[in-house]
Amino acid sequence: MKFSIVIYAAPYSSEAAATALRFSQAALKNGHEVYRLFFFGDGVHNASRLTVVSQDEKNIQQQWQQLIDEHKLDCVVCVSSAIKRGIVDKTESTRYEMNAVSAHENFEVAGLGQLIDATLNSDRVVNFG
Amino acid sequence: MTEELSSKPGNKKSIAFITRAAPYGRGNSKLCLEMALACAVFEQEVNYIFLDDGVYQLLRNQNASDIDSNSLGDTLEALELYGIENVCVDENSLRKRNLKAEDLLDNIKLVDQNTISSLLTQSDCVFNL
Amino acid sequence: MSILHTISRSPSSDLLKSCAGLLGEDDGILFIEDGIYYCADNSSLSEVATKVKLYALKEDIEARGMQSRSSADIDLIDYARFVEICCDYDKVVSWF
């Protein structure tokens, strides 16, 4: 089946982002397709490339990046949620003359249309917040 | 919005939103509205349902300028203009909070739980936050 | 058209009550994260246990030491089955 997964929660503040990550891993392992990961609201913090965690903790952002890399996943961070939370890619950074990029390159910063598109093209949309 | 969807034209789904958070205190009421407005822009059929504390979004006389927010009520009053025609509120949630129809903005349908339950059943996808 | 409802907050959230009012007869409920504390809350469960199928995420139960406290009416499932039951039901509605 084709899944899209929507993540509303920042990592570490609650379990939801980690749950979404494990769910995505399990879906792929079971042979399903992940059509899109969509990060919305505080969920955009999952896209940060500027994180360090203590040695006994798992880095959730890095695990997302690995999963996306490994399976070439389509992965979108909502632009309106992202830029107000300091998650900017090269395009937004240039547009607002910020001189810094905080979003990992695996994540595309785009509009809510990509979420609507995901609901139109997936068999199941599963939300985690 | 200038995005384009990769789906074929005529691909129309029915998408339900359950908005359960009171306004201003947390961001969820705004996120839910953003998603629904995007759905309407992309010409999907939207059912917008106020449940639990979400009914507080509908109170008349909101003025959020002193807490530096836009009044959510103003946008909610114009939902029809944005193409969201089926807007309803759970009468059970109102009763529990001692609210009556006359306390709320105009043009909101009061419905019972069976009606909401069948709306969810009929929808292709449900967002709940 | 059946719905799988996931609940991820503890009983103090009253989420099960909100969800219970909207259940269809073919629906199911899966408790995840802090939602698994519902598995030991028999008074809340009694309202829904006769109506719909109940599941809880094993990993979240074990993490919280709730294995032996969970009601017998609940089917404990792992992530792989979580994915599969999402396919068994027609859609998934998350309560958080």
Side-chain angles (χ1 to χ4, degrees):
Chain A
M1 271 207 175
K2 244 192 246 181
F3 281 93
S4 279
I5 292 154
V6 190
I7 299 104
Y8 303 85
Y12 317 116
S13 315
S14 73
E15 195 186 347
T19 308
L21 175 67
R22 286 188 290 264
F23 182 89
S24 309
Q25 290 165 336
L28 291 161
K29 202 171 161 203
N30 284 11
H32 297 290
E33 184 189 332
V34 172
Y35 179 79
R36 180 164 296 144
L37 302 169
F38 191 88
F39 295 87
F40 192 40
D42 285 344
V44 300
H45 290 294
N46 287 280
S48 174
R49 54 181 276 275
L50 303 172
T51 62
V52 179
V53 300
S54 64
Q55 279 186 346
D56 60 343
E57 248 186 309
K58 290 257 175 89
N59 188 321
I60 295 176
Q61 285 96 337
Q62 257 172 32
Q63 291 185 77
W64 278 121
Q65 288 154 21
Q66 283 163 7
L67 189 76
I68 295 161
D69 254 345
E70 194 183 327
H71 298 273
K72 303 280 169 279
L73 298 180
D74 180 310
C75 173
V76 174
V77 179
C78 173
V79 62
S80 64
S81 296
I83 56 176
K84 64 176 95 160
R85 288 172 176 82
I87 301 294
V88 290
D89 63 356
K90 219 181 233 161
T91 313
E92 300 303 322
S93 176
T94 311
R95 188 195 321 263
Y96 297 104
E97 298 172 11
M98 285 171 168
N99 204 19
V101 172
S102 54
H104 192 272
E105 61 191 14
N106 279 350
F107 296 76
E108 184 196 347
V109 178
L112 271 167
Q114 298 304 310
L115 174 63
I116 316 305
D117 172 79
T119 63
L120 296 181
N121 290 296
S122 310
D123 302 309
R124 296 289 180 277
V125 178
V126 188
N127 295 270
F128 294 93
Chain B
M1 249 178 271
T2 52
E3 290 174 82
E4 279 181 33
L5 303 187
S6 63
S7 55
K8 303 172 231 69
N11 186 355
K12 190 167 181 166
K13 283 203 178 179
S14 158
I15 302 174
F17 294 87
I18 310 176
T19 180
R20 286 191 349 263
Y24 315 115
R26 292 193 300 141
N28 287 8
S29 53
K30 224 171 140 186
L31 289 180
C32 197
L33 185 60
E34 264 183 62
M35 289 200 283
L37 292 174
C39 273
V41 167
F42 290 108
E43 296 179 335
Q44 304 303 307
E45 190 189 315
V46 175
N47 292 306
Y48 207 70
I49 304 157
F50 293 86
L51 189 78
D52 295 344
D53 280 350
V55 302
Y56 288 127
Q57 297 173 39
L58 294 169
L59 285 183
R60 288 176 188 276
N61 300 323
Q62 295 178 41
N63 177 3
S65 58
D66 287 349
I67 57 168
D68 295 326
S69 285
N70 298 320
S71 293
L72 196 62
D74 294 345
T75 318
L76 294 178
E77 233 163 3
L79 284 181
E80 210 179 324
L81 234 62
Y82 294 108
I84 301 176
E85 277 163 20
N86 193 13
V87 182
C88 56
V89 56
D90 170 41
E91 54 182 18
N92 190 41
S93 302
L94 290 180
R95 210 174 309 123
K96 274 192 200 155
R97 288 163 183 78
N98 246 331
L99 296 173
K100 297 195 177 62
E102 56 264 34
D103 300 319
L104 309 181
L105 306 172
D106 297 331
N107 294 327
I108 314 284
K109 242 185 307 184
L110 267 63
V111 294
D112 62 11
Q113 291 185 318
N114 287 336
T115 310
I116 298 176
S117 179
S118 47
L119 269 179
L120 300 186
T121 307
Q122 290 156 24
S123 301
D124 295 301
C125 186
V126 180
F127 293 98
N128 178 17
L129 73 164
Chain C
M1 289 293 271
S2 59
I3 300 178
L4 176 68
H5 300 265
T6 67
I7 293 184
S8 58
R9 299 269 186 266
S10 79
S12 66
S13 67
D14 261 348
L15 280 181
L16 183 60
K17 210 175 268 171
S18 304
C19 166
L22 309 178
L23 286 174
E25 52 182 31
D26 298 324
D27 290 2
I29 301 175
L30 166 64
F31 298 104
I32 63 170
E33 301 169 10
D34 287 347
I36 64 99
Y37 292 112
Y38 269 114
C39 299
D41 180 8
N42 289 320
S43 59
S44 298
L45 287 180
S46 62
E47 199 192 330
V48 290
T50 52
K51 270 203 235 166
V52 298
K53 181 108 183 69
L54 302 177
Y55 312 85
L57 193 58
K58 191 170 71 74
E59 285 86 341
D60 282 332
I61 294 249
E62 285 172 0
R64 290 163 176 78
M66 290 289 284
Q67 300 89 318
S68 61
R69 296 168 191 274
S70 165
S71 155
D73 292 330
I74 295 174
D75 192 358
L76 296 193
I77 64 169
D78 61 9
Y79 269 92
R81 275 215 59 212
F82 180 4
V83 171
E84 294 317 309
I85 63 169
C86 288
C87 304
D88 295 341
Y89 292 86
D90 295 309
K91 61 193 156 243
V92 184
V93 177
S94 308
W95 297 80
F96 54 82

